[in-house]
Amino acid sequence: MPELEDKLVFLWSTSDREVALTMIFMYLLSAKREDWWEEVTLIVWGPSAKLLAEDEELQDRLAKLGKEGVVLEACKSCAEIYGVADDLEELGVDVYYIGEQLTDYIKEGRRLISL
């Protein structure tokens, strides 16, 4: 089991497509492939849920993350606001009410990046 300091949680909430393509997805893929972190989790939260559900290129990049072993999660409340919960589940994202889980991640000392 990985040590907490070797677990990364990336909270993606921006609807900025360029940030997703040129920073978030690129970094997470490299981080997992190069074993920079033992465990990598991506949380889709807020406007990023809508963007992901509508953008095929981002969906393809997300699939690559999943194949590399990145844990894919999304906030169900946010996904429901945008009407995309089913779409995200079809992409292989675990969609649930995630606020308590995010709090647990932080309290247990996981590294957190938020954009």
Side-chain angles (χ1 to χ4, degrees), residues 29-95:
L29 187 60
S30 294
K32 195 59 183 163
R33 282 186 176 166
E34 302 298 325
D35 292 321
W36 296 339
W37 300 94
E38 181 72 23
E39 186 175 307
V40 177
T41 301
L42 172 64
I43 298 176
V44 180
W45 191 296
S48 62
K50 183 177 187 291
L51 176 64
L52 181 59
E54 296 173 347
D55 191 303
E56 288 184 22
E57 184 176 3
L58 290 176
Q59 293 169 11
D60 290 342
R61 302 264 183 116
L62 182 83
K64 289 178 186 173
L65 293 178
K67 287 179 185 173
E68 289 294 328
V70 174
V71 176
L72 306 172
E73 301 178 336
C75 171
K76 187 169 184 172
S77 289
C78 299
E80 288 174 342
I81 289 169
Y82 294 107
V84 297
D86 291 341
D87 298 323
L88 296 180
E89 288 177 348
E90 288 175 16
L91 295 171
V93 178
D94 187 11
V95 180

Side-chain angles (χ1 to χ4, degrees), residues 4 12 15 27 34 38 51 59 67 71 97-98 108-109:
L4 290 176
W12 173 33
S15 63
Y27 176 76
E34 302 298 325
E38 181 72 23
L51 176 64
Q59 293 169 11
K67 287 179 185 173
V71 176
Y97 299 110
I98 200 166
E108 71 184 24

